[in-house]
Amino acid sequence: MSSEITINLRLRVQKDFLDHREDPGTFRVDMTGSNATGGVQAIGTSGEALSVTDVATPGYAYFRNLGPTNYVDLGTGTTTFVAFARLKVGEAAIMRLSTTAPTARANVAPVNLQYYILAD
């Protein structure tokens, strides 16, 4: 089987003289594996690994900041945390991971991070 993952994508910004739209629409991608992992994890203010069980090679991932006041950074590394994305309160993102060990770090106080990671 192919094209098991469906993604709908649209971005629109209108502010002052800025008016731009990106609308690639719906696209489908293949999923080689058949496993997924996820849930809600309390993320502290130090870099911490997300629990990625049953997925040997991560592919597409969904993240959402469920915290009420603080942002959360997504990244790599725990001792030396390197952020590659930030989610403010209530924000969500879908991306293909390039790491087998994603980590996260909250700003100021812990936040709950919802995530769902698909096998590549």
Side-chain angles (χ1 to χ4, degrees), residues 15-33:
K15 183 174 182 180
D16 300 328
F17 295 105
L18 182 61
D19 187 354
H20 185 79
R21 177 185 309 211
E22 294 292 336
D23 192 359
T26 300
F27 60 97
R28 297 179 62 90
V29 294
D30 294 345
M31 181 177 168
T32 305

PDB file of all heavy atoms in Angstrom, residues 15-33:
ATOM      1  N   LYS A  15      -1.185  41.352   7.459  1.00  0.00           N
ATOM      2  CA  LYS A  15      -0.880  42.341   8.488  1.00  0.00           C
ATOM      3  C   LYS A  15      -0.202  43.524   7.810  1.00  0.00           C
ATOM      4  O   LYS A  15       0.778  43.353   7.091  1.00  0.00           O
ATOM      5  CB  LYS A  15       0.026  41.774   9.576  1.00  0.00           C
ATOM      6  CG  LYS A  15       0.288  42.772  10.676  1.00  0.00           C
ATOM      7  CD  LYS A  15       1.054  42.189  11.815  1.00  0.00           C
ATOM      8  CE  LYS A  15       1.197  43.287  12.878  1.00  0.00           C
ATOM      9  NZ  LYS A  15       1.921  42.829  14.020  1.00  0.00           N
ATOM     10  N   ASP A  16      -0.733  44.719   8.087  1.00  0.00           N
ATOM     11  CA  ASP A  16      -0.218  45.937   7.468  1.00  0.00           C
ATOM     12  C   ASP A  16      -0.135  45.730   5.954  1.00  0.00           C
ATOM     13  O   ASP A  16      -1.126  45.452   5.329  1.00  0.00           O
ATOM     14  CB  ASP A  16       1.130  46.334   8.078  1.00  0.00           C
ATOM     15  CG  ASP A  16       1.020  46.605   9.579  1.00  0.00           C
ATOM     16  OD1 ASP A  16      -0.055  47.075  10.013  1.00  0.00           O
ATOM     17  OD2 ASP A  16       1.987  46.339  10.301  1.00  0.00           O
ATOM     18  N   PHE A  17       1.062  45.857   5.375  1.00  0.00           N
ATOM     19  CA  PHE A  17       1.220  45.701   3.928  1.00  0.00           C
ATOM     20  C   PHE A  17       1.578  44.279   3.525  1.00  0.00           C
ATOM     21  O   PHE A  17       1.828  43.999   2.366  1.00  0.00           O
ATOM     22  CB  PHE A  17       2.294  46.669   3.405  1.00  0.00           C
ATOM     23  CG  PHE A  17       1.903  48.102   3.573  1.00  0.00           C
ATOM     24  CD1 PHE A  17       2.477  48.879   4.563  1.00  0.00           C
ATOM     25  CD2 PHE A  17       0.942  48.660   2.756  1.00  0.00           C
ATOM     26  CE1 PHE A  17       2.105  50.191   4.731  1.00  0.00           C
ATOM     27  CE2 PHE A  17       0.558  49.984   2.911  1.00  0.00           C
ATOM     28  CZ  PHE A  17       1.140  50.752   3.908  1.00  0.00           C
ATOM     29  N   LEU A  18       1.586  43.396   4.490  1.00  0.00           N
ATOM     30  CA  LEU A  18       1.940  42.010   4.221  1.00  0.00           C
ATOM     31  C   LEU A  18       0.673  41.216   3.932  1.00  0.00           C
ATOM     32  O   LEU A  18      -0.255  41.191   4.740  1.00  0.00           O
ATOM     33  CB  LEU A  18       2.663  41.417   5.437  1.00  0.00           C
ATOM     34  CG  LEU A  18       3.152  39.991   5.341  1.00  0.00           C
ATOM     35  CD1 LEU A  18       4.169  39.832   4.220  1.00  0.00           C
ATOM     36  CD2 LEU A  18       3.781  39.572   6.665  1.00  0.00           C
ATOM     37  N   ASP A  19       0.640  40.605   2.781  1.00  0.00           N
ATOM     38  CA  ASP A  19      -0.485  39.755   2.396  1.00  0.00           C
ATOM     39  C   ASP A  19       0.094  38.613   1.556  1.00  0.00           C
ATOM     40  O   ASP A  19       0.495  38.803   0.413  1.00  0.00           O
ATOM     41  CB  ASP A  19      -1.513  40.547   1.586  1.00  0.00           C
ATOM     42  CG  ASP A  19      -2.777  39.746   1.309  1.00  0.00           C
ATOM     43  OD1 ASP A  19      -2.816  38.547   1.636  1.00  0.00           O
ATOM     44  OD2 ASP A  19      -3.725  40.326   0.764  1.00  0.00           O
ATOM     45  N   HIS A  20       0.162  37.440   2.164  1.00  0.00           N
ATOM     46  CA  HIS A  20       0.803  36.316   1.487  1.00  0.00           C
ATOM     47  C   HIS A  20       0.057  35.028   1.793  1.00  0.00           C
ATOM     48  O   HIS A  20      -0.470  34.853   2.886  1.00  0.00           O
ATOM     49  CB  HIS A  20       2.268  36.198   1.943  1.00  0.00           C
ATOM     50  CG  HIS A  20       3.030  35.144   1.215  1.00  0.00           C
ATOM     51  ND1 HIS A  20       3.539  35.337  -0.054  1.00  0.00           N
ATOM     52  CD2 HIS A  20       3.355  33.886   1.560  1.00  0.00           C
ATOM     53  CE1 HIS A  20       4.147  34.236  -0.446  1.00  0.00           C
ATOM     54  NE2 HIS A  20       4.057  33.335   0.512  1.00  0.00           N
ATOM     55  N   ARG A  21       0.081  34.133   0.842  1.00  0.00           N
ATOM     56  CA  ARG A  21      -0.586  32.841   0.996  1.00  0.00           C
ATOM     57  C   ARG A  21       0.277  31.741   0.393  1.00  0.00           C
ATOM     58  O   ARG A  21       0.841  31.900  -0.677  1.00  0.00           O
ATOM     59  CB  ARG A  21      -1.929  32.872   0.292  1.00  0.00           C
ATOM     60  CG  ARG A  21      -2.673  31.558   0.327  1.00  0.00           C
ATOM     61  CD  ARG A  21      -3.931  31.623  -0.476  1.00  0.00           C
ATOM     62  NE  ARG A  21      -4.687  32.791  -0.051  1.00  0.00           N
ATOM     63  CZ  ARG A  21      -6.000  32.877  -0.067  1.00  0.00           C
ATOM     64  NH1 ARG A  21      -6.704  31.876  -0.514  1.00  0.00           N
ATOM     65  NH2 ARG A  21      -6.615  33.947   0.329  1.00  0.00           N
ATOM     66  N   GLU A  22       0.368  30.652   1.130  1.00  0.00           N
ATOM     67  CA  GLU A  22       0.954  29.408   0.622  1.00  0.00           C
ATOM     68  C   GLU A  22      -0.125  28.350   0.785  1.00  0.00           C
ATOM     69  O   GLU A  22      -0.639  28.161   1.882  1.00  0.00           O
ATOM     70  CB  GLU A  22       2.198  29.003   1.422  1.00  0.00           C
ATOM     71  CG  GLU A  22       3.370  29.944   1.292  1.00  0.00           C
ATOM     72  CD  GLU A  22       3.993  29.941  -0.088  1.00  0.00           C
ATOM     73  OE1 GLU A  22       3.846  28.933  -0.820  1.00  0.00           O
ATOM     74  OE2 GLU A  22       4.630  30.946  -0.437  1.00  0.00           O
ATOM     75  N   ASP A  23      -0.488  27.708  -0.300  1.00  0.00           N
ATOM     76  CA  ASP A  23      -1.572  26.740  -0.255  1.00  0.00           C
ATOM     77  C   ASP A  23      -1.278  25.549  -1.153  1.00  0.00           C
ATOM     78  O   ASP A  23      -1.871  25.397  -2.218  1.00  0.00           O
ATOM     79  CB  ASP A  23      -2.888  27.419  -0.665  1.00  0.00           C
ATOM     80  CG  ASP A  23      -4.097  26.561  -0.375  1.00  0.00           C
ATOM     81  OD1 ASP A  23      -3.949  25.420   0.120  1.00  0.00           O
ATOM     82  OD2 ASP A  23      -5.217  27.033  -0.638  1.00  0.00           O
ATOM     83  N   PRO A  24      -0.333  24.684  -0.707  1.00  0.00           N
ATOM     84  CA  PRO A  24      -0.063  23.499  -1.524  1.00  0.00           C
ATOM     85  C   PRO A  24      -1.198  22.486  -1.481  1.00  0.00           C
ATOM     86  O   PRO A  24      -1.185  21.508  -2.207  1.00  0.00           O
ATOM     87  CB  PRO A  24       1.219  22.928  -0.911  1.00  0.00           C
ATOM     88  CG  PRO A  24       1.229  23.416   0.485  1.00  0.00           C
ATOM     89  CD  PRO A  24       0.522  24.746   0.469  1.00  0.00           C
ATOM     90  N   GLY A  25      -2.164  22.737  -0.582  1.00  0.00           N
ATOM     91  CA  GLY A  25      -3.331  21.858  -0.514  1.00  0.00           C
ATOM     92  C   GLY A  25      -3.068  20.552   0.193  1.00  0.00           C
ATOM     93  O   GLY A  25      -2.302  20.475   1.135  1.00  0.00           O
ATOM     94  N   THR A  26      -3.698  19.515  -0.303  1.00  0.00           N
ATOM     95  CA  THR A  26      -3.591  18.196   0.294  1.00  0.00           C
ATOM     96  C   THR A  26      -2.557  17.382  -0.467  1.00  0.00           C
ATOM     97  O   THR A  26      -2.539  17.381  -1.694  1.00  0.00           O
ATOM     98  CB  THR A  26      -4.949  17.477   0.232  1.00  0.00           C
ATOM     99  OG1 THR A  26      -5.898  18.252   0.962  1.00  0.00           O
ATOM    100  CG2 THR A  26      -4.873  16.089   0.827  1.00  0.00           C
ATOM    101  N   PHE A  27      -1.697  16.720   0.277  1.00  0.00           N
ATOM    102  CA  PHE A  27      -0.770  15.805  -0.364  1.00  0.00           C
ATOM    103  C   PHE A  27      -0.672  14.530   0.457  1.00  0.00           C
ATOM    104  O   PHE A  27      -0.979  14.516   1.636  1.00  0.00           O
ATOM    105  CB  PHE A  27       0.607  16.441  -0.632  1.00  0.00           C
ATOM    106  CG  PHE A  27       1.322  16.925   0.592  1.00  0.00           C
ATOM    107  CD1 PHE A  27       2.280  16.154   1.218  1.00  0.00           C
ATOM    108  CD2 PHE A  27       1.058  18.182   1.100  1.00  0.00           C
ATOM    109  CE1 PHE A  27       2.948  16.620   2.332  1.00  0.00           C
ATOM    110  CE2 PHE A  27       1.730  18.660   2.214  1.00  0.00           C
ATOM    111  CZ  PHE A  27       2.675  17.875   2.838  1.00  0.00           C
ATOM    112  N   ARG A  28      -0.275  13.476  -0.198  1.00  0.00           N
ATOM    113  CA  ARG A  28      -0.191  12.167   0.435  1.00  0.00           C
ATOM    114  C   ARG A  28       1.235  11.675   0.360  1.00  0.00           C
ATOM    115  O   ARG A  28       1.915  11.907  -0.629  1.00  0.00           O
ATOM    116  CB  ARG A  28      -1.155  11.200  -0.237  1.00  0.00           C
ATOM    117  CG  ARG A  28      -2.616  11.643  -0.082  1.00  0.00           C
ATOM    118  CD  ARG A  28      -3.576  10.694  -0.775  1.00  0.00           C
ATOM    119  NE  ARG A  28      -3.532   9.362  -0.215  1.00  0.00           N
ATOM    120  CZ  ARG A  28      -4.293   8.916   0.788  1.00  0.00           C
ATOM    121  NH1 ARG A  28      -5.153   9.726   1.356  1.00  0.00           N
ATOM    122  NH2 ARG A  28      -4.206   7.680   1.211  1.00  0.00           N
ATOM    123  N   VAL A  29       1.671  11.013   1.435  1.00  0.00           N
ATOM    124  CA  VAL A  29       3.029  10.469   1.478  1.00  0.00           C
ATOM    125  C   VAL A  29       2.992   9.016   1.942  1.00  0.00           C
ATOM    126  O   VAL A  29       2.049   8.591   2.610  1.00  0.00           O
ATOM    127  CB  VAL A  29       3.958  11.305   2.397  1.00  0.00           C
ATOM    128  CG1 VAL A  29       4.167  12.692   1.831  1.00  0.00           C
ATOM    129  CG2 VAL A  29       3.401  11.393   3.799  1.00  0.00           C
ATOM    130  N   ASP A  30       4.032   8.304   1.588  1.00  0.00           N
ATOM    131  CA  ASP A  30       4.130   6.892   1.958  1.00  0.00           C
ATOM    132  C   ASP A  30       4.608   6.741   3.392  1.00  0.00           C
ATOM    133  O   ASP A  30       5.384   7.552   3.900  1.00  0.00           O
ATOM    134  CB  ASP A  30       5.108   6.162   1.046  1.00  0.00           C
ATOM    135  CG  ASP A  30       4.625   6.101  -0.398  1.00  0.00           C
ATOM    136  OD1 ASP A  30       3.436   6.367  -0.640  1.00  0.00           O
ATOM    137  OD2 ASP A  30       5.451   5.802  -1.277  1.00  0.00           O
ATOM    138  N   MET A  31       4.171   5.681   4.030  1.00  0.00           N
ATOM    139  CA  MET A  31       4.633   5.294   5.358  1.00  0.00           C
ATOM    140  C   MET A  31       5.161   3.874   5.233  1.00  0.00           C
ATOM    141  O   MET A  31       4.394   2.938   5.008  1.00  0.00           O
ATOM    142  CB  MET A  31       3.484   5.368   6.373  1.00  0.00           C
ATOM    143  CG  MET A  31       3.875   5.004   7.778  1.00  0.00           C
ATOM    144  SD  MET A  31       2.445   5.234   8.876  1.00  0.00           S
ATOM    145  CE  MET A  31       3.046   4.417  10.345  1.00  0.00           C
ATOM    146  N   THR A  32       6.475   3.719   5.355  1.00  0.00           N
ATOM    147  CA  THR A  32       7.104   2.414   5.192  1.00  0.00           C
ATOM    148  C   THR A  32       6.795   1.498   6.366  1.00  0.00           C
ATOM    149  O   THR A  32       6.448   0.339   6.189  1.00  0.00           O
ATOM    150  CB  THR A  32       8.631   2.566   5.045  1.00  0.00           C
ATOM    151  OG1 THR A  32       8.890   3.450   3.971  1.00  0.00           O
ATOM    152  CG2 THR A  32       9.287   1.235   4.755  1.00  0.00           C
ATOM    153  N   GLY A  33       6.937   2.025   7.597  1.00  0.00           N
ATOM    154  CA  GLY A  33       6.677   1.231   8.797  1.00  0.00           C
ATOM    155  C   GLY A  33       5.197   1.112   9.084  1.00  0.00           C
ATOM    156  O   GLY A  33       4.352   1.570   8.320  1.00  0.00           O
TER     157      GLY A  33
END
